[in-house]
Amino acid sequence: MTALPVISARRRRTDLFARGVFAALTLVAIVPLVLIIYYILDKGLGAISWHFLSTDPTGNFLGDPGGVKSAILGTLEIVLIATALAVPIGIGVALYLVEFGRGTVLGGVVRYFVDVLTGVPSIVFGLFIYTGLVVTHTLGSFAGWKGAVALALLMLPVVTRSAEVVLILVPDSLREAALALGAPRWRVVARVVLPSALTGLITGGLLAVARAAGETAPLIFTMGSTLPTNFDPFKQMNSLPVQIFNDVGQAQDRLVTRAWGAALTLVAMILILTLIARTLARRSRLT
Amino acid sequence: MTGDGFAASQTAAAAGEHGLSRSPQTRRPLVAQAPSASARPTKAARRVRLEGLDAYYGDNHALRGLDLEFEPNKVTAIIGPSGCGKSTMIRCINRMHEEIPGARAEGKVCLDQVDVYDPSVNVVAVRRAIGMVFQKPNPFPTMSIFDNVASGIRLSGASRADLRDRVERALRGAGLWDEVKDRLAEPGIGLSGGQQQRLCIARTMAVDPEVLLMDEPCSALDPIATLKVEELLADLKQRVTVVLVTHNMQQAARVADSTAFLLDGELVEVGATDEMFTQPKDSRTEDYVTGKFG
């Protein structure tokens, strides 16, 4: 019987050292995350109450400053409009790239520009809408729908890229099976490809929503802000990120506290969305 | 010029007759030819003839001037080593070859008199007339057993009046009805591999094709499931012309009426199956069927 070589002491030490290094790096990465969550909870939890969630900010210098109701509802509405704009277009672009534009010059160009768009800072989208729609007074000055367009531009590349990945994952054998049955191309896409990719498409859409919901920069220049609850997207609207942005610079502690509370509310909303997306993604992987 | 025009109109007329034309009147031949749900005439199996068929993947010349004929109501097996062009050839028959980017085919594939590559022919109608079963079972994962069989009818936009009957008939035809009749609503991918492949056969036959192409349909199946599919072929050829690509020579010997041997994109020999295996004319065929290479 041949003896198996024993692991040398040097290898043991190297192994231990390497494990230590990676554990330390992981800790370094986690520390800020934990601190952020800790601070938000620590400073924000005190602000949260039914009153906080159910009243509009009053704007009074003295007395009750009010809550963030208009900001929550504004964010929900704006993100909903942005989703309605970005998701169909994004999935449409992805369908073109995967189903029709494979190997074409246009497909390559589009994919490249979608990549470029992914890296554009969010403030640039805000400025783009500001100069394009606000300064020109297109249908009024600052307005909710302009903020929604800015967010939609931000979401578009995220939706497109995630949808493209999901659509590529639909096996070609399914497309071939449908084509060989005598289905026209559009029916193959509508009845076989899209249903097969559905959960993935929803997940991608929700992740884009989560990303857009927290953006401040595209909104400041585009939809302004207002205190009372306003559902009319053609007027100025309030939103959580802008509310935080405004409150945090105020001289009064209670307004800063309200900013923390709003931040916690926003994080909780995004967390819930992400959890939904995760659950859907896991379910799709099981089938 | 006039001559060309005449020839073209001749072909177009022939195409119309066979319901393969692009023109709106005959766009959906299977519906037009199905007068009522119950008394639908069984369609005749058609003769398939390849004339000077060349196929390319980009610059790769995969098929070289193939001339070959497939008799109606017969099973013709295509044998040959990997990469000889078997799959390419049958994908040319229902024009699935051109779905691969950079792939193209030249020459004629005639369904009786109609060249399926004629510009006046609607490719969707070609695929409805020439069904195909693939190497790996590929039921639609989002659909139930019932919906999988119905999918061909639905996807082609055909009449749905007698959908249930047609699905049942197709499943019976694929020898699957008794196994699945109590769980038609369950997902198709929940079936075993062999059942999935028979489900795909049912799906293809539900569209009522005239020709059935099978691209190594048993290569992913175990011997018992293979046997079931092979037994099916005897029934299926009563209704359609069967072209069976196989890398399994025993399978060709068991089920095929005639056998064609391809090598490097060319037809080496075609003939009655027992002759091909007992007294082949070409020495390359002999070497292949006796296992000297491949």
Side-chain angles (χ1 to χ4, degrees):
Chain A
M1 212 177 103
T2 53
L4 293 170
V6 181
I7 298 173
S8 70
R10 197 189 67 85
R11 260 201 81 177
R12 271 181 219 276
R13 274 198 308 275
T14 315
D15 178 58
L16 209 64
F17 175 73
R19 278 168 197 268
V21 166
F22 288 117
L25 288 174
T26 309
L27 270 179
V28 168
I30 285 179
V31 163
L33 190 70
V34 171
L35 281 181
I36 287 172
I37 293 173
Y38 172 74
Y39 270 97
I40 291 178
L41 284 174
D42 183 46
K43 306 219 172 192
L45 217 48
I48 304 275
S49 65
W50 179 242
H51 177 74
F52 175 81
L53 295 173
S54 65
T55 47
D56 290 335
T58 57
N60 295 342
F61 187 70
L62 298 168
D64 179 19
V68 293
K69 177 181 150 221
S70 64
I72 294 174
L73 294 173
T75 286
L76 286 176
E77 182 176 340
I78 290 306
V79 170
L80 201 70
I81 297 174
T83 307
L85 290 171
V87 167
I89 298 176
I91 291 179
V93 173
L95 274 179
Y96 172 75
L97 289 177
V98 176
E99 300 296 327
F100 305 99
R102 267 193 222 190
T104 62
V105 176
L106 180 62
V109 172
V110 169
R111 187 176 288 112
Y112 178 74
F113 276 103
V114 168
D115 276 346
V116 171
L117 218 54
T118 315
V120 172
S122 59
I123 195 164
V124 175
F125 290 114
L127 284 173
F128 173 64
I129 297 299
Y130 178 71
T131 50
L133 292 178
V134 177
V135 174
T136 57
H137 279 270
T138 310
L139 298 177
S141 173
F142 294 98
W145 70 272
K146 294 174 186 174
V149 172
L151 287 187
L153 287 176
L154 186 94
M155 289 168 73
L156 193 58
V158 182
V159 174
T160 305
R161 285 307 268 185
S162 66
E164 193 192 353
V165 171
V166 175
L167 289 173
I168 287 176
L169 282 180
V170 175
D172 273 340
S173 67
L174 296 183
R175 293 183 181 89
E176 289 201 326
L179 283 173
L181 284 169
R185 191 117 217 157
W186 68 270
R187 269 216 180 86
V188 176
V189 170
R191 302 291 286 272
V192 175
V193 177
L194 282 179
S196 304
L198 188 65
T199 39
L201 294 175
I202 294 174
T203 311
L206 284 178
L207 288 176
V209 166
R211 159 111 203 261
E215 284 295 341
T216 323
L219 299 182
I220 297 174
F221 309 108
T222 53
M223 70 177 199
S225 68
T226 158
L227 298 176
T229 299
N230 166 35
F231 288 112
D232 181 359
F234 290 95
K235 301 214 173 74
Q236 295 200 20
M237 292 175 76
N238 201 2
S239 64
L240 280 169
V242 175
Q243 171 98 47
I244 297 167
F245 178 76
N246 288 338
D247 282 351
V248 101
Q250 300 289 330
Q252 299 186 44
D253 275 350
R254 53 207 191 111
L255 290 183
V256 175
T257 305
R258 186 170 71 185
W260 282 106
L264 179 58
T265 312
L266 185 58
V267 168
M269 279 167 64
I270 293 173
L271 184 70
I272 290 168
L273 261 182
T274 313
L275 284 179
I276 294 173
R278 281 280 168 89
T279 315
L280 279 173
R282 191 164 307 137
R283 195 169 300 165
S284 77
R285 223 172 293 139
L286 285 179
T287 50
Chain B
M1 198 49 213
T2 33
D4 286 348
F6 179 69
S9 68
Q10 280 277 70
T11 319
E17 228 166 76
H18 287 75
L20 295 178
S21 161
R22 262 184 204 283
S23 64
Q25 292 87 348
T26 49
R27 182 107 184 266
R28 294 200 169 137
L30 293 178
V31 189
Q33 289 176 6
S36 80
S38 48
R40 203 147 36 84
T42 316
K43 295 225 242 164
R46 291 197 195 276
R47 179 182 304 272
V48 178
R49 206 171 61 249
L50 316 182
E51 289 176 25
L53 182 68
D54 284 85
Y56 304 83
Y57 294 94
D59 294 331
N60 178 11
H61 196 167
L63 288 184
R64 299 160 188 270
L66 223 57
D67 292 299
L68 192 52
E69 209 167 306
F70 303 104
E71 299 276 331
N73 300 109
K74 291 275 191 296
V75 176
T76 306
I78 315 291
I79 58 170
S82 300
C84 72
K86 305 186 294 284
S87 293
T88 308
M89 190 212 75
I90 75 164
R91 290 173 63 92
C92 284
I93 297 176
N94 67 343
R95 293 183 58 177
M96 285 299 288
H97 177 64
E98 65 205 59
E99 293 297 332
I100 297 165
R104 67 201 158 86
E106 287 166 10
K108 278 185 168 183
V109 174
C110 293
L111 197 57
D112 283 354
Q113 283 81 42
V114 189
D115 178 13
V116 302
Y117 282 96
D118 188 272
S120 70
V121 163
N122 181 358
V123 62
V124 168
V126 169
R127 293 181 188 149
R128 233 167 280 165
I130 308 177
M132 187 166 196
V133 174
F134 294 84
Q135 193 167 350
K136 261 185 74 186
N138 51 3
F140 298 122
T142 54
M143 297 184 194
S144 67
I145 293 170
F146 181 91
D147 288 341
N148 258 290
V149 181
S151 64
I153 302 164
R154 287 177 176 149
L155 282 167
S156 58
S159 147
R160 299 169 192 193
D162 54 344
L163 196 60
R164 260 207 98 77
D165 289 346
R166 290 177 72 170
V167 168
E168 179 176 339
R169 211 178 316 144
L171 282 170
R172 283 188 189 283
L176 197 58
W177 177 252
D178 290 327
E179 291 161 61
V180 301
K181 64 183 175 201
D182 299 321
R183 44 173 177 155
L184 290 173
E186 287 174 29
I189 46 172
L191 297 173
S192 74
Q195 289 174 323
Q196 285 188 21
Q197 192 61 301
R198 279 181 288 144
L199 182 67
C200 293
I201 293 174
R203 179 175 69 185
T204 305
M205 292 304 291
V207 191
D208 239 351
E210 296 156 344
V211 177
L212 179 62
L213 309 175
M214 305 181 99
D215 189 358
E216 301 192 19
C218 302
S219 64
L221 307 185
D222 63 73
I224 292 168
T226 300
L227 187 67
K228 282 191 175 157
V229 172
E230 289 179 2
E231 284 169 355
L232 256 184
L233 284 172
D235 295 337
L236 291 173
K237 76 175 183 184
Q238 308 297 322
R239 297 168 56 193
V240 292
T241 310
V242 180
V243 182
L244 172 74
V245 164
T246 178
H247 58 201
N248 178 337
M249 280 177 280
Q250 287 75 33
Q251 180 170 62
R254 283 192 297 265
V255 301
D257 299 295
S258 48
T259 298
F261 174 51
L262 294 193
L263 192 59
D264 297 330
E266 285 176 49
L267 177 69
V268 174
E269 190 174 350
V270 59
T273 300
D274 41 359
E275 280 174 31
M276 286 285 284
F277 283 97
T278 51
Q279 46 207 163
K281 296 184 189 75
D282 196 295
S283 62
R284 289 171 294 173
T285 313
E286 187 169 1
D287 288 348
Y288 184 70
V289 298
T290 54
K292 289 211 175 102
F293 76 102

